């Protein structure tokens, strides 16, 4: 028998995914939800990452909610501060502060089968909900390097996601460990300020030119004619989708597309770096696409500076005053910057908290033993009334925003259908779930994202099974279509005590959903 929960829906996380879900819920006329956020502010990645040079590495036209275009971006690749301001503005526009509970960490999610609800453990208290939208995020847990002596360093050590703005780096000797997305933004930003900059590279990263341009002159045009802004967004999405289709989804049939991209990157490298030895050390030994390539017009040329050294010898240990490499060389450092990324595909972060469903299912154990999988990247059998944002095989076209929109739309369609049927328990059936996973696995064979192709990349895309579970082998157009027209009968619906849910479908729709647009009230066929 179903009990009355504290809220109809709990959204876990107030980053881009959680806030996107909350906005979509509001637009669908659903107001009985709460957003639980462990931090003291919204924004997730854009709250935590404030290092020098932080910016979006995807075009602003695609890096925004499709239903909330921002005509005020100052450039094609805006700064992190601009993105945070965009997020804050939408929180106010949608009046989400009333739904937010900040500094509230969810430590465990437990399904109560008898009551048909989720129990969200918050330390010493519990919050219950009929449905859970899990927007955990993936760039939230800094990954510290497993290097001896890290805790012995007596200078200032900081991870890029925990930048210490009280540390004045001007005139200091700075060591940066790592050459990923954050590093390629930080390194050219601080190189002119510091006395000595040592960059410790384990593997080179592909760097492509960054086609950045000012958009200030377009503000008036976008405000006055938003259709122009939408048209540009669609054009950019089409280009990204085409690149995804040709370069990734059809890699086995069209490998020359990837080679063309590699030729462009190598040409960019030659134009940026004068020393042929340094150029060689900055040249990746794995295929383009095995990990996210960098976009920069300034990173590579930084290694022409006399105060910047590229160190490719492995690190033996960190000392109290610097770093010793395996060739016995010790380099002094006053500041240590750990650009070592985040826990991404590691078992302890998949998911980041225990999620326990029906019949004793533990999501972390299930994924570790059976591979990460979820129907349409959103739902897992034996996890009733639960929906994932950033689930396995969810990312398309190089931007989080389309994925957030499609995953959330999927969840809302199921919630609306459960409401209409008077159901308090809804769960994906095993057969469509397994069919989707088989299709995904088959498609991945045509991509470059396999251990055989990407063995030397050390890509965070790959988990312990060797699966690249972040990337969905599908175009955005296909994912968009499927989120709106998957068969709702792929889910099983059960009814407990009604507690506000009418057993009469027609009466419920009339009383509670008549104000909604028809596509949300009617199941597509």
């Amino acid at each position: 028998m179903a009990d009355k929960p504290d809220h109809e829906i709990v959204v876990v996380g107030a980053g881009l995914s959680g806030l996107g879900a909350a906005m979509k819920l509001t637009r669908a006329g659903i107001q009985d939800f709460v957003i639980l956020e462990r931090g003291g502010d919204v924004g997730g990645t854009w709250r935590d990452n404030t290092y020098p040079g932080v910016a979006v590495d995807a075009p602003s036209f695609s890096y925004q909610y499709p239903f909330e275009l921002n005509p005020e971006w100052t450039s094609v690749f805006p700064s992190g501060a601009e993105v945070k301001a965009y997020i804050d503005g939408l929180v106010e526009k949608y009046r989400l502060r009333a739904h937010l509970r900040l500094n509230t960490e969810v430590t465990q999610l437990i399904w109560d089968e008898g009551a048909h609800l989720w129990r969200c453990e918050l330390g010493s208290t519990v919050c219950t909900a009929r449905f859970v939208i899990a927007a955990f995020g993936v760039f939230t847990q800094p990954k510290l390097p497993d290097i001896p002596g890290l805790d012995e360093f007596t200078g200032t050590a900081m991870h890029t996601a925990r930048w210490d703005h009280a540390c004045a780096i001007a005139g200091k000797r700075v060591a940066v460990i790592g050459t990923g997305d954050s590093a390629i933004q930080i390194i050219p930003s601080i190189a002119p300020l510091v006395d000595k900059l040592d960059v410790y590279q384990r593997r080179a990263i592909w760097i492509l030119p960054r086609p950045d341009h000012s958009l200030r002159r377009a503000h008036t045009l976008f405000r006055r004619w938003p259709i122009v802004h939408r048209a540009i967004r669609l054009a950019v999405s089409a280009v990204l989708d085409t690149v995804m289709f040709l370069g990734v989804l059809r890699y086995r049939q069209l490998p020359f597309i990837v080679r063309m991209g590699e030729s462009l990157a190598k040409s960019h490298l030659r134009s940026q770096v004068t020393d042929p030895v340094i150029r060689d050390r900055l040249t990746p030994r794995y295929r383009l696409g095995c990990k996210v390539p960098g976009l920069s017009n300034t990173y590579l040329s930084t290694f022409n500076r006399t105060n910047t050294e590229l160190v490719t010898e492995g690190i033996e240990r960190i000392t109290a005053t610097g770093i010793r490499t395996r060739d016995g060389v010790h380099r002094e450092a006053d500041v240590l910057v750990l650009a070592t990324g985040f826990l991404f595909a590691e078992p302890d972060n998949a998911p980041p908290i225990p999620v326990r469903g029906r019949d004793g299912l533990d999501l972390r154990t299930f994924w570790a033993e059976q591979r990460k999988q979820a129907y349409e990247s959103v739902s897992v059998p034996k996890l009733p009334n639960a929906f994932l944002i950033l689930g396995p095989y969810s990312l398309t076209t190089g931007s989080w925003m389309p994925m957030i929109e499609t995953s959330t739309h999927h969840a809302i369609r199921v919630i609306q259908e459960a409401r209409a049927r008077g159901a308090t328990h809804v769960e994906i059936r095993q057969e469509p779930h397994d069919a989707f996973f088989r299709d995904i696995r088959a498609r991945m064979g045509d991509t470059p994202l396999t251990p055989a192709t990407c063995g030397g990349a050390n890509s965070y895309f790959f988990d312990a099974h060797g699966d690249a579970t972040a990337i969905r082998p599908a175009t955005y157009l296909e994912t968009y279509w499927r989120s709106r027209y998957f068969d709702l009968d792929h889910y099983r619906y059960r009814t407990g005590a009604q507690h506000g849910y009418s057993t009469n479908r027609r009466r419920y729709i009339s009383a509670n959903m008549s104000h909604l647009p028809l596509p949300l009230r009617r199941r597509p066929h």
Side-chain angles (χ1 to χ4, degrees):
M1 179 175 290
D3 290 344
K4 177 69 174 177
D6 298 328
H7 301 277
E8 182 181 14
I9 303 168
V10 158
V11 178
V12 182
L16 286 174
S17 301
L19 294 176
M23 284 183 270
K24 290 281 285 184
L25 289 170
T26 300
R27 291 169 67 88
I30 300 173
Q31 288 295 328
D32 185 10
F33 66 89
V34 64
I35 310 167
L36 305 179
E37 167 56 46
R38 67 178 178 178
D41 193 9
V42 302
T45 295
W46 301 106
R47 174 199 62 213
D48 296 340
N49 286 268
T50 59
Y51 56 78
V54 60
V56 179
D57 56 6
S60 57
F61 298 110
S62 63
Y63 202 87
Q64 54 189 331
Y65 299 109
F67 51 87
E68 281 293 346
L69 302 189
N70 176 23
E72 307 297 332
W73 297 121
T74 60
S75 64
V76 175
F77 295 89
S79 69
E82 281 189 72
V83 179
K84 182 61 167 67
Y86 168 68
I87 294 169
D88 290 342
L90 291 177
V91 168
E92 300 306 321
K93 176 178 178 178
Y94 283 85
R95 301 179 180 178
L96 297 181
R97 296 287 176 190
H99 299 273
L100 274 166
R101 289 175 61 179
L102 300 174
N103 299 307
T104 303
E105 183 173 8
V106 179
T107 57
Q108 189 169 209
L109 294 171
I110 302 175
W111 171 250
D112 187 328
E113 178 64 18
H116 285 191
L117 52 76
W118 282 95
R119 299 190 179 277
C120 311
E121 295 192 357
L122 314 174
S124 60
T125 63
V126 174
C127 175
T128 61
R130 185 73 66 211
F131 302 98
V132 163
I133 296 178
F136 297 128
V138 290
F139 297 128
T140 57
Q141 301 289 337
K143 183 178 182 179
L144 299 181
D146 185 18
I147 301 174
L150 179 59
D151 56 351
E152 299 173 11
F153 185 66
T154 56
T156 300
M158 52 188 166
H159 191 275
T160 55
R162 302 292 185 268
W163 193 266
D164 184 359
H165 291 277
C167 174
I169 63 172
K172 299 287 183 65
R173 297 168 299 182
V174 179
V176 177
I177 298 178
T179 53
D181 293 340
S182 300
I184 68 172
Q185 294 180 345
I186 291 172
I187 288 166
S189 298
I190 66 174
L193 307 176
V194 303
D195 177 60
K196 183 71 166 62
L197 178 61
D198 296 321
V199 178
Y200 291 82
Q201 171 188 280
R202 181 164 54 171
R203 288 174 180 83
I205 182 174
W206 289 105
I207 303 292
L208 294 168
R210 183 184 180 94
D212 203 4
H213 302 281
S214 174
L215 295 177
R216 295 183 186 278
R217 293 184 178 180
H219 290 175
T220 301
L221 176 64
F222 290 163
R223 284 194 298 267
R224 186 172 299 173
W225 299 97
I227 191 173
V228 175
H229 195 179
R230 295 188 181 281
I232 295 176
R233 176 189 167 272
L234 289 174
V236 170
S237 296
V239 170
L240 292 173
D241 240 16
T242 301
V243 171
M244 176 78 171
F245 180 79
L246 297 178
V248 179
L249 304 187
R250 292 293 180 267
Y251 168 73
R252 297 298 174 192
Q253 295 81 12
L254 304 170
F256 68 90
I257 300 294
V258 169
R259 289 198 292 268
M260 288 172 59
E262 291 176 353
S263 294
L264 174 61
K266 290 178 179 179
S267 175
H268 183 52
L269 175 59
R270 286 193 298 270
S271 70
Q272 293 276 302
V273 179
T274 57
D275 188 328
V277 175
I278 299 298
R279 280 204 305 267
D280 182 67
R281 289 157 63 189
L282 288 168
T283 302
R285 309 300 194 223
Y286 56 86
R287 293 259 78 113
L288 175 67
C290 289
K291 60 198 305 183
V292 177
L295 297 176
S296 178
N297 299 327
T298 56
Y299 169 72
L300 295 171
S301 61
T302 302
F303 295 101
N304 296 325
R305 300 181 60 89
T306 57
N307 72 331
T308 303
E309 181 180 359
L310 177 66
V311 183
T312 55
E313 187 70 29
I315 296 175
E316 178 182 286
R317 70 175 294 108
I318 297 172
T319 71
T321 59
I323 296 177
R324 182 185 301 117
T325 48
R326 292 183 187 135
D327 58 0
V329 176
H330 183 269
R331 294 172 178 84
E332 301 286 330
D334 305 306
V335 179
L336 180 59
V337 176
L338 306 175
T340 47
F342 300 85
L343 297 176
F344 189 88
E346 289 81 354
D348 288 347
N349 197 55
I353 62 172
V355 179
R356 310 189 191 283
R358 182 173 61 81
D359 295 342
L361 176 82
D362 178 84
L363 184 57
R364 189 178 289 173
T365 300
F366 171 66
W367 278 348
E369 295 178 352
Q370 304 296 326
R371 286 185 148 91
K372 292 180 187 174
Q373 49 190 292
Y375 174 70
E376 295 290 342
S377 310
V378 175
S379 297
V380 178
K382 297 188 179 181
L383 287 184
N385 298 13
F387 309 96
L388 304 171
I389 313 296
L390 283 172
Y393 303 103
S394 57
L395 182 61
T396 63
T397 70
S399 174
W400 300 108
M401 300 305 208
M403 176 277 305
I404 295 169
E405 199 269 344
T406 54
S407 297
T408 303
H409 194 92
H410 179 119
I412 290 176
R413 280 191 64 207
V414 178
I415 292 170
Q416 297 282 23
E417 185 71 4
R419 279 176 151 201
R421 298 189 187 201
T424 53
H425 180 292
V426 56
E427 182 179 336
I428 187 64
R429 298 175 187 270
Q430 192 72 46
E431 296 80 5
H433 169 274
D434 292 349
F436 176 80
F437 185 51
R438 285 194 300 270
D439 180 55
I440 287 290
R441 296 280 297 160
R443 292 190 187 197
M444 289 301 291
D446 281 335
T447 75
L449 298 170
T450 64
T453 303
C454 299
N458 190 40
S459 173
Y460 66 73
F461 285 163
F462 293 91
D463 63 13
H465 295 284
D467 299 335
T469 59
I471 304 299
R472 182 164 179 166
T475 62
Y476 169 57
L477 181 61
E478 178 191 340
T479 306
Y480 175 91
W481 181 264
R482 291 175 69 117
S483 72
R484 282 152 175 78
Y485 296 102
F486 68 88
D487 189 348
L488 284 162
D489 285 330
H490 283 174
Y491 284 84
R492 181 181 291 108
Y493 304 83
R494 292 172 50 199
T495 304
Q498 302 308 314
H499 292 292
Y501 291 82
S502 172
T503 56
N504 185 298
R505 177 185 174 98
R506 185 173 300 169
R507 187 190 321 143
Y508 182 83
I509 292 175
S510 175
N512 297 281
M513 301 173 66
S514 59
H515 66 289
L516 297 176
L518 283 174
L520 288 176
R521 287 189 272 138
R522 192 177 291 166
R523 182 178 64 186
H525 294 283

